[in-house]
Amino acid sequence: MASVAAEMAEHYLFAAIVASILAFLFLAGIRGRKAARGRKRTDDGAPFAAGKEQCDSDADGCGVPDVIVVGAGVAGSALAYTLGKDGRRVHVIERDLTEPDRIVGELLQPGGYLKLVELGLQDCVEEIDAQRVFGYALFKDGRNTKLAYPLEKFHSDVAGRSFHHGRFIQRMRQKAATLPNVRLEQGTVTSLLEENGTIKGVLYKNKAGEELKAFAPLTIVCDGCFSNLRKSLCSPKVDIPSSFVGLVLENCELPFPNHGHVVLADPSPILFYPISSNEVRCLVDVPGQKVPSVANGEMASYLKTVVTPQIPAQLHDPFISAIDKGNIRTIANRSMPAVPHPTPGALLMGDAFNMRHPLTGGGMTVALSDIVLLHNLLKPLRDLHDASTLCNYLESFYTLRKPVASTINTLAGALYKVFSASPDRARNEMRQACFDYLSLGGVFSNGPISLLSGLNPRPLTLVAHFFAVAIYGVGRLLLPFPSPKRMWIGARLISGASGIIFPIIKAEGVRQMFFPATVPAYYRKPPAN
């Protein structure tokens, strides 16, 4: 009897062992399939977490997202990570998740880097061969002056960063995708879904071409400068003052390493800055909306005959070499003041909402500053479902952002006009006065460069230095001996300076820019929920 019991015990033990092994293999298989479903890859092979993409809509933590973000560029990716880090469920829909290849959005000012740190995204400029930038060098008529960022009061890591735009974007997308409550999906949003004046979500086509709907209490549109959704959320007045012609110079050394270089050329500025340890980006500004043809060789001829003689001599050979390689690209430079239509359930951000001339590299600083502000406004709110109340509260966003954003926007527009050559002698006197004023150093350069860097974007500081340049220019004209002709040119210089800056300030909004505390929306309090 005992032997029978022992034999049965052995059978039971063997069966239990076999069952345990089979259960382990079964659970491992399920876990592996879930893990496989929890990952997706972009077309170029970069891994992204799909978050809750495959989850049951009734399961805990799944269902309708809190926020839909349209676009995963600088603004969209940073916003997705920031909101996701707060525990919000975020669905990002991006037209193309492969690495973008652009010739702008490659220089992040120190003020923008500080915002990146504030958002916890500073590691996104690591491992992409980004270069530190410590200031600018200006060149005009054989003279040059170096302008250092005022970084003395900051940590040693604080500086500008320049890089390949696409590498930076992919790093931010990857960072956002590490959060389990952030879902990145490739798709094209075709329209906003509206019901009784409230945006309820979006209509989009996924990568397979299927037309789908996505719903959320808040939809944030960050689909870039070519946005097809902005018209219902703002009054877009897009201006195209010029185009950039882009080249990459390889294995060349800039006259001032780790500095941006601005050549005050004729007819308009030329930029150089490093984008990796062995590449320098060159952007040649061409005024107007028409540029020489690249296809028939007109552009190459223009660059060699008009541009080359005006750039620093040590850059001639790599510049010619870059032209001969033939990888010449162009992009229209757009500017658009922010004129929002507050709409329940939706918000505009990034280049879809506000653009400025890229001469000063301020676009990413504005976008990241806006995200920090929006994050702080949304943080106290647990529930975003009361669209009307939320819209009323978020009107404060449009007012609170104005001093910083408008200062950077105005500086970009004004500097572009001042730095461009003109047949008008008064305008050229202003251009020369600006170069000489900045060359004085000390407070004369620290103030303007602190504005340019985004470290001190104050509207009054901008206006004070702008007219200080104009007055300095008049002084140069009148000394040592004033004459009626010189006095007339001086008067036209002041008038011209006013004609440059005041229309830009008017478009940005005088009250919001200089006196935001007089706007009722400035004092909006978060709704109780």
Side-chain angles (χ1 to χ4, degrees):
M1 189 75 175
S3 63
V4 172
E7 186 175 339
M8 289 179 66
E10 288 177 3
H11 284 304
Y12 283 130
L13 180 61
F14 177 77
I17 292 171
V18 170
S20 298
I21 292 172
L22 291 174
F24 174 80
L25 293 173
F26 178 73
L27 290 172
I30 291 177
R31 187 176 180 182
R33 285 194 296 273
K34 283 185 177 180
R37 286 200 301 262
R39 294 188 303 271
K40 67 178 178 181
R41 304 181 72 86
T42 59
D43 292 347
D44 64 347
F48 290 104
K52 304 290 185 182
E53 185 173 11
Q54 301 293 333
C55 67
D56 184 348
S57 62
D58 295 326
D60 184 41
C62 298
V64 175
D66 299 305
V67 181
I68 292 171
V69 176
V70 181
V74 173
S77 299
L79 188 62
Y81 176 76
T82 303
L83 297 180
K85 195 171 59 170
D86 279 351
R88 300 192 191 276
R89 294 165 297 183
V90 184
H91 182 186
V92 184
I93 305 172
E94 161 59 36
R95 182 181 59 82
D96 186 357
L97 283 171
T98 60
E99 183 173 310
D101 183 16
R102 296 182 62 194
I103 63 172
V104 290
E106 298 171 319
L107 195 150
L108 180 67
Q109 298 288 3
Y113 178 76
L114 286 174
K115 297 300 179 184
L116 207 65
V117 172
E118 200 170 338
L119 295 171
L121 289 164
Q122 66 272 22
D123 57 340
C124 292
V125 294
E126 298 172 2
E127 300 178 10
I128 59 172
D129 200 15
Q131 303 298 297
R132 291 191 177 198
V133 178
F134 297 110
Y136 279 85
L138 292 185
F139 295 78
K140 186 179 187 296
D141 300 331
R143 296 173 55 204
N144 65 73
T145 186
K146 188 169 78 167
L147 309 170
Y149 291 139
L151 301 173
E152 298 81 9
K153 297 179 181 179
F154 297 94
H155 187 272
S156 60
D157 189 53
V158 177
R161 295 292 195 281
S162 52
F163 38 68
H164 280 270
H165 174 82
R167 296 176 188 175
F168 178 55
I169 295 297
Q170 292 301 87
R171 287 281 287 161
M172 289 209 295
R173 289 174 177 174
Q174 290 163 2
K175 180 109 178 183
T178 61
L179 300 176
N181 48 317
V182 174
R183 171 189 174 192
L184 268 72
E185 180 180 11
Q186 185 162 303
T188 302
V189 175
T190 54
S191 64
L192 301 174
L193 298 175
E194 183 182 341
E195 184 180 308
N196 299 323
T198 298
I199 302 302
K200 297 291 187 179
V202 298
L203 180 69
Y204 72 103
K205 289 185 178 180
N206 65 10
K207 191 177 178 180
E210 302 169 308
E211 192 167 78
L212 303 172
K213 294 179 180 179
F215 298 92
L218 181 61
T219 298
I220 303 178
V221 176
C222 315
D223 57 343
C225 63
F226 300 108
S227 173
N228 64 327
L229 304 175
R230 67 161 70 102
K231 286 185 179 179
S232 60
L233 302 175
C234 74
S235 298
K237 297 178 181 177
V238 180
D239 181 36
I240 304 178
S242 67
S243 295
F244 269 154
V245 179
L247 298 163
V248 174
L249 283 57
E250 297 180 343
N251 301 311
C252 77
E253 190 171 321
L254 289 167
F256 296 93
N258 298 104
H259 282 68
H261 292 55
V262 183
V263 181
L264 304 190
D266 187 356
S268 51
I270 303 165
L271 308 180
F272 295 91
Y273 52 87
I275 55 172
S276 73
S277 53
N278 64 346
E279 294 169 300
V280 169
R281 168 69 71 195
C282 172
L283 294 174
V284 178
D285 187 85
V286 178
Q289 298 185 23
K290 187 177 181 180
V291 298
S293 171
V294 174
N296 65 13
E298 285 181 7
M299 179 64 77
S301 175
Y302 174 82
L303 294 173
K304 288 180 178 180
T305 58
V306 177
V307 177
T308 303
Q310 301 188 71
I311 66 176
Q314 73 184 75
L315 298 177
H316 282 191
D317 289 345
F319 185 73
I320 294 294
S321 177
I323 296 169
D324 290 340
K325 284 185 178 178
N327 189 20
I328 302 171
R329 301 174 59 191
T330 63
I331 185 170
N333 295 325
R334 291 172 167 81
S335 62
M336 184 185 77
V339 186
H341 297 160
T343 305
L347 199 69
L348 264 177
M349 294 193 77
D351 282 352
F353 175 47
N354 185 203
M355 294 180 281
R356 76 289 311 147
H357 196 285
L359 172 69
T360 56
M364 290 189 287
T365 300
V366 172
L368 295 171
S369 178
D370 282 353
I371 291 166
V372 169
L373 174 58
L374 182 63
H375 171 242
N376 291 334
L377 289 172
L378 290 178
K379 199 167 187 178
L381 306 183
R382 294 189 302 274
D383 185 5
L384 305 178
H385 283 82
D386 188 340
S388 179
T389 302
L390 180 63
C391 177
N392 185 56
Y393 169 59
L394 287 182
E395 279 188 41
S396 60
F397 166 75
Y398 298 121
T399 301
L400 293 169
R401 71 179 293 274
K402 271 294 181 178
V404 171
S406 293
T407 300
I408 293 172
N409 295 344
T410 303
L411 177 68
L415 264 190
Y416 175 70
K417 291 184 178 180
V418 171
F419 280 180
S420 296
S422 170
D424 182 358
R425 184 179 171 186
R427 282 282 298 273
N428 281 331
E429 287 290 345
M430 181 72 175
R431 188 186 195 213
Q432 185 63 50
C434 187
F435 180 86
D436 291 343
Y437 181 89
L438 294 171
S439 300
L440 294 172
V443 66
F444 304 104
S445 62
N446 284 344
I449 206 72
S450 69
L451 291 164
L452 182 66
S453 64
L455 295 171
N456 180 32
R458 296 181 182 177
L460 288 175
T461 303
L462 168 62
V463 172
H465 278 285
F466 188 81
F467 280 102
V469 169
I471 293 167
Y472 178 77
V474 172
R476 289 175 64 256
L477 282 167
L478 299 183
L479 295 175
F481 303 110
S483 67
K485 182 179 180 181
R486 286 172 172 265
M487 291 173 66
W488 172 242
I489 294 172
R492 287 178 49 227
L493 192 157
I494 296 292
S495 174
S498 301
I500 287 173
I501 197 168
F502 286 146
I504 303 173
I505 290 174
K506 183 181 178 182
E508 290 291 330
V510 176
R511 187 181 177 192
Q512 294 93 330
M513 184 173 175
F514 291 95
F515 312 106
T518 68
V519 180
Y522 184 86
Y523 300 99
R524 298 279 161 81
K525 300 294 183 184
N529 59 15

PDB file of all heavy atoms in Angstrom, residues 188-215:
ATOM      1  N   THR A 188      -1.845  61.074 -40.788  1.00  0.00           N
ATOM      2  CA  THR A 188      -2.052  62.432 -41.279  1.00  0.00           C
ATOM      3  C   THR A 188      -3.403  62.934 -40.827  1.00  0.00           C
ATOM      4  O   THR A 188      -4.447  62.393 -41.222  1.00  0.00           O
ATOM      5  CB  THR A 188      -1.971  62.475 -42.820  1.00  0.00           C
ATOM      6  OG1 THR A 188      -0.692  61.987 -43.231  1.00  0.00           O
ATOM      7  CG2 THR A 188      -2.157  63.893 -43.333  1.00  0.00           C
ATOM      8  N   VAL A 189      -3.389  63.973 -39.996  1.00  0.00           N
ATOM      9  CA  VAL A 189      -4.646  64.558 -39.522  1.00  0.00           C
ATOM     10  C   VAL A 189      -5.218  65.439 -40.629  1.00  0.00           C
ATOM     11  O   VAL A 189      -4.553  66.352 -41.124  1.00  0.00           O
ATOM     12  CB  VAL A 189      -4.416  65.380 -38.235  1.00  0.00           C
ATOM     13  CG1 VAL A 189      -5.711  66.082 -37.812  1.00  0.00           C
ATOM     14  CG2 VAL A 189      -3.913  64.487 -37.113  1.00  0.00           C
ATOM     15  N   THR A 190      -6.445  65.154 -41.014  1.00  0.00           N
ATOM     16  CA  THR A 190      -7.065  65.891 -42.118  1.00  0.00           C
ATOM     17  C   THR A 190      -8.005  66.995 -41.644  1.00  0.00           C
ATOM     18  O   THR A 190      -8.216  67.977 -42.352  1.00  0.00           O
ATOM     19  CB  THR A 190      -7.833  64.929 -43.042  1.00  0.00           C
ATOM     20  OG1 THR A 190      -8.758  64.162 -42.250  1.00  0.00           O
ATOM     21  CG2 THR A 190      -6.876  63.985 -43.751  1.00  0.00           C
ATOM     22  N   SER A 191      -8.567  66.834 -40.456  1.00  0.00           N
ATOM     23  CA  SER A 191      -9.467  67.876 -39.946  1.00  0.00           C
ATOM     24  C   SER A 191      -9.690  67.706 -38.452  1.00  0.00           C
ATOM     25  O   SER A 191      -9.419  66.644 -37.875  1.00  0.00           O
ATOM     26  CB  SER A 191     -10.813  67.838 -40.681  1.00  0.00           C
ATOM     27  OG  SER A 191     -11.482  66.616 -40.438  1.00  0.00           O
ATOM     28  N   LEU A 192     -10.181  68.781 -37.849  1.00  0.00           N
ATOM     29  CA  LEU A 192     -10.585  68.754 -36.442  1.00  0.00           C
ATOM     30  C   LEU A 192     -12.062  68.377 -36.377  1.00  0.00           C
ATOM     31  O   LEU A 192     -12.858  68.789 -37.219  1.00  0.00           O
ATOM     32  CB  LEU A 192     -10.360  70.109 -35.789  1.00  0.00           C
ATOM     33  CG  LEU A 192      -8.924  70.640 -35.796  1.00  0.00           C
ATOM     34  CD1 LEU A 192      -8.877  72.066 -35.250  1.00  0.00           C
ATOM     35  CD2 LEU A 192      -8.012  69.744 -34.975  1.00  0.00           C
ATOM     36  N   LEU A 193     -12.427  67.595 -35.377  1.00  0.00           N
ATOM     37  CA  LEU A 193     -13.824  67.200 -35.198  1.00  0.00           C
ATOM     38  C   LEU A 193     -14.496  68.200 -34.261  1.00  0.00           C
ATOM     39  O   LEU A 193     -14.111  68.338 -33.104  1.00  0.00           O
ATOM     40  CB  LEU A 193     -13.898  65.784 -34.618  1.00  0.00           C
ATOM     41  CG  LEU A 193     -13.301  64.672 -35.493  1.00  0.00           C
ATOM     42  CD1 LEU A 193     -13.329  63.339 -34.751  1.00  0.00           C
ATOM     43  CD2 LEU A 193     -14.053  64.565 -36.811  1.00  0.00           C
ATOM     44  N   GLU A 194     -15.486  68.887 -34.774  1.00  0.00           N
ATOM     45  CA  GLU A 194     -16.148  69.947 -34.015  1.00  0.00           C
ATOM     46  C   GLU A 194     -17.602  69.593 -33.747  1.00  0.00           C
ATOM     47  O   GLU A 194     -18.294  69.024 -34.591  1.00  0.00           O
ATOM     48  CB  GLU A 194     -16.069  71.267 -34.791  1.00  0.00           C
ATOM     49  CG  GLU A 194     -16.676  72.446 -34.046  1.00  0.00           C
ATOM     50  CD  GLU A 194     -16.631  73.734 -34.857  1.00  0.00           C
ATOM     51  OE1 GLU A 194     -15.821  73.801 -35.810  1.00  0.00           O
ATOM     52  OE2 GLU A 194     -17.410  74.644 -34.551  1.00  0.00           O
ATOM     53  N   GLU A 195     -18.052  69.923 -32.545  1.00  0.00           N
ATOM     54  CA  GLU A 195     -19.438  69.704 -32.169  1.00  0.00           C
ATOM     55  C   GLU A 195     -19.912  70.884 -31.327  1.00  0.00           C
ATOM     56  O   GLU A 195     -19.383  71.122 -30.233  1.00  0.00           O
ATOM     57  CB  GLU A 195     -19.581  68.401 -31.384  1.00  0.00           C
ATOM     58  CG  GLU A 195     -20.998  68.043 -31.024  1.00  0.00           C
ATOM     59  CD  GLU A 195     -21.073  66.733 -30.253  1.00  0.00           C
ATOM     60  OE1 GLU A 195     -20.501  65.725 -30.742  1.00  0.00           O
ATOM     61  OE2 GLU A 195     -21.677  66.725 -29.168  1.00  0.00           O
ATOM     62  N   ASN A 196     -20.864  71.641 -31.854  1.00  0.00           N
ATOM     63  CA  ASN A 196     -21.409  72.813 -31.162  1.00  0.00           C
ATOM     64  C   ASN A 196     -20.307  73.798 -30.742  1.00  0.00           C
ATOM     65  O   ASN A 196     -20.295  74.314 -29.625  1.00  0.00           O
ATOM     66  CB  ASN A 196     -22.213  72.389 -29.931  1.00  0.00           C
ATOM     67  CG  ASN A 196     -23.403  71.514 -30.291  1.00  0.00           C
ATOM     68  OD1 ASN A 196     -24.056  71.734 -31.321  1.00  0.00           O
ATOM     69  ND2 ASN A 196     -23.692  70.522 -29.458  1.00  0.00           N
ATOM     70  N   GLY A 197     -19.370  74.023 -31.654  1.00  0.00           N
ATOM     71  CA  GLY A 197     -18.319  75.003 -31.398  1.00  0.00           C
ATOM     72  C   GLY A 197     -17.168  74.504 -30.554  1.00  0.00           C
ATOM     73  O   GLY A 197     -16.228  75.250 -30.273  1.00  0.00           O
ATOM     74  N   THR A 198     -17.199  73.227 -30.149  1.00  0.00           N
ATOM     75  CA  THR A 198     -16.135  72.642 -29.328  1.00  0.00           C
ATOM     76  C   THR A 198     -15.390  71.576 -30.123  1.00  0.00           C
ATOM     77  O   THR A 198     -16.013  70.747 -30.791  1.00  0.00           O
ATOM     78  CB  THR A 198     -16.716  72.019 -28.045  1.00  0.00           C
ATOM     79  OG1 THR A 198     -17.335  73.033 -27.265  1.00  0.00           O
ATOM     80  CG2 THR A 198     -15.625  71.347 -27.218  1.00  0.00           C
ATOM     81  N   ILE A 199     -14.069  71.618 -30.064  1.00  0.00           N
ATOM     82  CA  ILE A 199     -13.259  70.594 -30.743  1.00  0.00           C
ATOM     83  C   ILE A 199     -13.251  69.333 -29.882  1.00  0.00           C
ATOM     84  O   ILE A 199     -12.855  69.365 -28.710  1.00  0.00           O
ATOM     85  CB  ILE A 199     -11.820  71.086 -30.975  1.00  0.00           C
ATOM     86  CG1 ILE A 199     -11.820  72.376 -31.807  1.00  0.00           C
ATOM     87  CG2 ILE A 199     -10.987  70.004 -31.660  1.00  0.00           C
ATOM     88  CD1 ILE A 199     -12.476  72.270 -33.162  1.00  0.00           C
ATOM     89  N   LYS A 200     -13.702  68.234 -30.464  1.00  0.00           N
ATOM     90  CA  LYS A 200     -13.803  66.969 -29.725  1.00  0.00           C
ATOM     91  C   LYS A 200     -12.652  66.012 -30.020  1.00  0.00           C
ATOM     92  O   LYS A 200     -12.440  65.041 -29.286  1.00  0.00           O
ATOM     93  CB  LYS A 200     -15.123  66.269 -30.077  1.00  0.00           C
ATOM     94  CG  LYS A 200     -16.355  67.051 -29.678  1.00  0.00           C
ATOM     95  CD  LYS A 200     -16.503  67.100 -28.158  1.00  0.00           C
ATOM     96  CE  LYS A 200     -17.824  67.725 -27.736  1.00  0.00           C
ATOM     97  NZ  LYS A 200     -17.981  67.748 -26.264  1.00  0.00           N
ATOM     98  N   GLY A 201     -11.933  66.254 -31.109  1.00  0.00           N
ATOM     99  CA  GLY A 201     -10.856  65.356 -31.488  1.00  0.00           C
ATOM    100  C   GLY A 201     -10.437  65.627 -32.917  1.00  0.00           C
ATOM    101  O   GLY A 201     -10.603  66.733 -33.440  1.00  0.00           O
ATOM    102  N   VAL A 202      -9.915  64.583 -33.588  1.00  0.00           N
ATOM    103  CA  VAL A 202      -9.405  64.751 -34.950  1.00  0.00           C
ATOM    104  C   VAL A 202      -9.830  63.593 -35.842  1.00  0.00           C
ATOM    105  O   VAL A 202     -10.098  62.477 -35.371  1.00  0.00           O
ATOM    106  CB  VAL A 202      -7.860  64.855 -34.967  1.00  0.00           C
ATOM    107  CG1 VAL A 202      -7.383  66.062 -34.186  1.00  0.00           C
ATOM    108  CG2 VAL A 202      -7.205  63.571 -34.449  1.00  0.00           C
ATOM    109  N   LEU A 203      -9.890  63.889 -37.133  1.00  0.00           N
ATOM    110  CA  LEU A 203     -10.073  62.871 -38.162  1.00  0.00           C
ATOM    111  C   LEU A 203      -8.719  62.702 -38.840  1.00  0.00           C
ATOM    112  O   LEU A 203      -8.092  63.683 -39.250  1.00  0.00           O
ATOM    113  CB  LEU A 203     -11.117  63.321 -39.171  1.00  0.00           C
ATOM    114  CG  LEU A 203     -11.447  62.366 -40.323  1.00  0.00           C
ATOM    115  CD1 LEU A 203     -12.171  61.133 -39.805  1.00  0.00           C
ATOM    116  CD2 LEU A 203     -12.301  63.084 -41.372  1.00  0.00           C
ATOM    117  N   TYR A 204      -8.246  61.457 -38.960  1.00  0.00           N
ATOM    118  CA  TYR A 204      -6.924  61.245 -39.540  1.00  0.00           C
ATOM    119  C   TYR A 204      -6.854  59.922 -40.293  1.00  0.00           C
ATOM    120  O   TYR A 204      -7.704  59.042 -40.120  1.00  0.00           O
ATOM    121  CB  TYR A 204      -5.853  61.278 -38.443  1.00  0.00           C
ATOM    122  CG  TYR A 204      -5.830  60.084 -37.509  1.00  0.00           C
ATOM    123  CD1 TYR A 204      -4.870  59.074 -37.641  1.00  0.00           C
ATOM    124  CD2 TYR A 204      -6.751  59.969 -36.470  1.00  0.00           C
ATOM    125  CE1 TYR A 204      -4.835  57.995 -36.774  1.00  0.00           C
ATOM    126  CE2 TYR A 204      -6.722  58.892 -35.602  1.00  0.00           C
ATOM    127  CZ  TYR A 204      -5.767  57.897 -35.754  1.00  0.00           C
ATOM    128  OH  TYR A 204      -5.731  56.820 -34.897  1.00  0.00           O
ATOM    129  N   LYS A 205      -5.853  59.844 -41.153  1.00  0.00           N
ATOM    130  CA  LYS A 205      -5.566  58.600 -41.861  1.00  0.00           C
ATOM    131  C   LYS A 205      -4.300  58.004 -41.287  1.00  0.00           C
ATOM    132  O   LYS A 205      -3.271  58.682 -41.187  1.00  0.00           O
ATOM    133  CB  LYS A 205      -5.391  58.853 -43.360  1.00  0.00           C
ATOM    134  CG  LYS A 205      -6.684  59.196 -44.075  1.00  0.00           C
ATOM    135  CD  LYS A 205      -6.474  59.316 -45.584  1.00  0.00           C
ATOM    136  CE  LYS A 205      -7.807  59.612 -46.290  1.00  0.00           C
ATOM    137  NZ  LYS A 205      -7.614  59.728 -47.764  1.00  0.00           N
ATOM    138  N   ASN A 206      -4.373  56.738 -40.899  1.00  0.00           N
ATOM    139  CA  ASN A 206      -3.187  56.097 -40.333  1.00  0.00           C
ATOM    140  C   ASN A 206      -2.231  55.667 -41.441  1.00  0.00           C
ATOM    141  O   ASN A 206      -2.473  55.918 -42.625  1.00  0.00           O
ATOM    142  CB  ASN A 206      -3.564  54.928 -39.420  1.00  0.00           C
ATOM    143  CG  ASN A 206      -4.238  53.782 -40.179  1.00  0.00           C
ATOM    144  OD1 ASN A 206      -4.264  53.756 -41.418  1.00  0.00           O
ATOM    145  ND2 ASN A 206      -4.785  52.830 -39.450  1.00  0.00           N
ATOM    146  N   LYS A 207      -1.152  55.023 -41.042  1.00  0.00           N
ATOM    147  CA  LYS A 207      -0.116  54.636 -42.006  1.00  0.00           C
ATOM    148  C   LYS A 207      -0.642  53.695 -43.085  1.00  0.00           C
ATOM    149  O   LYS A 207      -0.184  53.711 -44.233  1.00  0.00           O
ATOM    150  CB  LYS A 207       1.049  53.998 -41.253  1.00  0.00           C
ATOM    151  CG  LYS A 207       2.293  53.798 -42.091  1.00  0.00           C
ATOM    152  CD  LYS A 207       3.419  53.239 -41.240  1.00  0.00           C
ATOM    153  CE  LYS A 207       4.666  52.997 -42.077  1.00  0.00           C
ATOM    154  NZ  LYS A 207       5.773  52.447 -41.263  1.00  0.00           N
ATOM    155  N   ALA A 208      -1.658  52.902 -42.727  1.00  0.00           N
ATOM    156  CA  ALA A 208      -2.236  51.957 -43.685  1.00  0.00           C
ATOM    157  C   ALA A 208      -3.262  52.610 -44.603  1.00  0.00           C
ATOM    158  O   ALA A 208      -3.799  51.956 -45.499  1.00  0.00           O
ATOM    159  CB  ALA A 208      -2.875  50.789 -42.928  1.00  0.00           C
ATOM    160  N   GLY A 209      -3.548  53.909 -44.368  1.00  0.00           N
ATOM    161  CA  GLY A 209      -4.516  54.616 -45.207  1.00  0.00           C
ATOM    162  C   GLY A 209      -5.935  54.558 -44.699  1.00  0.00           C
ATOM    163  O   GLY A 209      -6.852  55.072 -45.351  1.00  0.00           O
ATOM    164  N   GLU A 210      -6.154  53.931 -43.538  1.00  0.00           N
ATOM    165  CA  GLU A 210      -7.494  53.852 -42.970  1.00  0.00           C
ATOM    166  C   GLU A 210      -7.877  55.193 -42.344  1.00  0.00           C
ATOM    167  O   GLU A 210      -7.069  55.820 -41.670  1.00  0.00           O
ATOM    168  CB  GLU A 210      -7.560  52.760 -41.896  1.00  0.00           C
ATOM    169  CG  GLU A 210      -7.182  51.380 -42.385  1.00  0.00           C
ATOM    170  CD  GLU A 210      -7.005  50.408 -41.229  1.00  0.00           C
ATOM    171  OE1 GLU A 210      -6.245  50.725 -40.291  1.00  0.00           O
ATOM    172  OE2 GLU A 210      -7.646  49.339 -41.265  1.00  0.00           O
ATOM    173  N   GLU A 211      -9.116  55.614 -42.552  1.00  0.00           N
ATOM    174  CA  GLU A 211      -9.597  56.862 -41.968  1.00  0.00           C
ATOM    175  C   GLU A 211     -10.173  56.571 -40.585  1.00  0.00           C
ATOM    176  O   GLU A 211     -11.095  55.764 -40.443  1.00  0.00           O
ATOM    177  CB  GLU A 211     -10.652  57.509 -42.865  1.00  0.00           C
ATOM    178  CG  GLU A 211     -10.968  58.938 -42.471  1.00  0.00           C
ATOM    179  CD  GLU A 211     -11.753  59.677 -43.528  1.00  0.00           C
ATOM    180  OE1 GLU A 211     -12.977  59.441 -43.605  1.00  0.00           O
ATOM    181  OE2 GLU A 211     -11.139  60.469 -44.284  1.00  0.00           O
ATOM    182  N   LEU A 212      -9.616  57.237 -39.585  1.00  0.00           N
ATOM    183  CA  LEU A 212      -9.986  56.980 -38.199  1.00  0.00           C
ATOM    184  C   LEU A 212     -10.321  58.289 -37.494  1.00  0.00           C
ATOM    185  O   LEU A 212      -9.956  59.371 -37.946  1.00  0.00           O
ATOM    186  CB  LEU A 212      -8.836  56.285 -37.457  1.00  0.00           C
ATOM    187  CG  LEU A 212      -8.321  54.964 -38.039  1.00  0.00           C
ATOM    188  CD1 LEU A 212      -7.071  54.522 -37.314  1.00  0.00           C
ATOM    189  CD2 LEU A 212      -9.397  53.887 -37.941  1.00  0.00           C
ATOM    190  N   LYS A 213     -11.003  58.145 -36.368  1.00  0.00           N
ATOM    191  CA  LYS A 213     -11.275  59.288 -35.499  1.00  0.00           C
ATOM    192  C   LYS A 213     -10.621  59.062 -34.145  1.00  0.00           C
ATOM    193  O   LYS A 213     -10.558  57.931 -33.656  1.00  0.00           O
ATOM    194  CB  LYS A 213     -12.789  59.475 -35.312  1.00  0.00           C
ATOM    195  CG  LYS A 213     -13.530  59.867 -36.577  1.00  0.00           C
ATOM    196  CD  LYS A 213     -15.030  60.014 -36.312  1.00  0.00           C
ATOM    197  CE  LYS A 213     -15.768  60.404 -37.591  1.00  0.00           C
ATOM    198  NZ  LYS A 213     -17.237  60.521 -37.354  1.00  0.00           N
ATOM    199  N   ALA A 214     -10.109  60.139 -33.571  1.00  0.00           N
ATOM    200  CA  ALA A 214      -9.546  60.078 -32.222  1.00  0.00           C
ATOM    201  C   ALA A 214     -10.167  61.200 -31.414  1.00  0.00           C
ATOM    202  O   ALA A 214     -10.340  62.317 -31.921  1.00  0.00           O
ATOM    203  CB  ALA A 214      -8.027  60.223 -32.263  1.00  0.00           C
ATOM    204  N   PHE A 215     -10.512  60.907 -30.165  1.00  0.00           N
ATOM    205  CA  PHE A 215     -11.195  61.880 -29.325  1.00  0.00           C
ATOM    206  C   PHE A 215     -10.394  62.144 -28.054  1.00  0.00           C
ATOM    207  O   PHE A 215      -9.741  61.246 -27.522  1.00  0.00           O
ATOM    208  CB  PHE A 215     -12.598  61.382 -28.956  1.00  0.00           C
ATOM    209  CG  PHE A 215     -13.496  61.177 -30.141  1.00  0.00           C
ATOM    210  CD1 PHE A 215     -13.582  59.933 -30.760  1.00  0.00           C
ATOM    211  CD2 PHE A 215     -14.238  62.219 -30.649  1.00  0.00           C
ATOM    212  CE1 PHE A 215     -14.410  59.733 -31.852  1.00  0.00           C
ATOM    213  CE2 PHE A 215     -15.070  62.044 -31.748  1.00  0.00           C
ATOM    214  CZ  PHE A 215     -15.157  60.798 -32.353  1.00  0.00           C
TER     215      PHE A 215
END
